[in-house]
Amino acid sequence: MAHEIRPTAALIVIDMQNDFLPGGSLAVASGDAILPGINALAGKFEHVILTQDWHPRGHISFASTHGKQAFVDSVEASYGVQHLWPDHCVQGTPGAELHPDLDIPHAELILRKGFRVGIDSYSAFTENDGVTPTGLAGYLRERGLDRLYFVGVAYDFCVGFSAIAAAKLHFEAVVVEDLSRAVGLPGTVEKTNAEFEIHNVHRILSSSL
């Protein structure tokens, strides 16, 4: 079924940064393969928003901060379990920059998230405590944008958390599956898909747009 890109739609491009793509410190497998498709799809949207992970050194999500092992270990934060990752997307470093092949000059906003040292932010809308807002919801509402399409990385973390948060905030949330890639830790994709069902997040292919 074809999806009409209506005037109140926006494309949200999640975290297409050097550290999350092949060659980066927290690379998502084949993440670079979706760049041409994202660029092409963005050309169909009047409204495009980009997000950037933007961590200070010593961030709570870094395994090195705790002397623990990335991908395997976790810590208990005030907001629940915090997965631990390699140092990534450190403010002002090349790894935090948007990938040079991301070509969306008409993007209207770049939203940075995860800049507080003691809390992570997978979602583009709320930090991992589920309470602290990034301000994106207010921006979208003030501009009258209510149907949101999500692409980027990673499907089972920042893309998924962003889409679910959008749905909880009463936006229409749509994930373009073929223009996202997953980290794929045990059970994370399955959990994400189950949450999409619960919160009425739609999943489509870019060919329907």
Side-chain angles (χ1 to χ4, degrees), residues 80-99:
V81 175
Q82 172 65 58
H83 288 284
L84 296 180
W85 310 105
D87 290 22
H88 64 279
C89 299
V90 175
Q91 296 170 0
T93 65
E97 293 174 5
L98 295 168
H99 193 279

Side-chain angles (χ1 to χ4, degrees), residues 36 42 109 126 132 140 147 166 195:
L109 175 72
T126 50
T132 306
L140 293 167
R147 178 184 283 178
E195 290 288 316

Side-chain angles (χ1 to χ4, degrees), residues 44-55:
K44 300 179 180 181
F45 281 80
E46 179 181 0
H47 307 294
V48 182
I49 293 156
L50 314 177
T51 71
Q52 274 183 297
D53 242 19
W54 198 249
H55 297 316

Side-chain angles (χ1 to χ4, degrees), residues 129-151:
D129 60 359
V131 176
T132 306
T134 65
L136 181 57
Y139 172 87
L140 293 167
R141 288 201 172 102
E142 187 166 349
R143 300 205 56 212
L145 303 173
D146 56 12
R147 178 184 283 178
L148 310 179
Y149 294 82
F150 294 87
V151 298

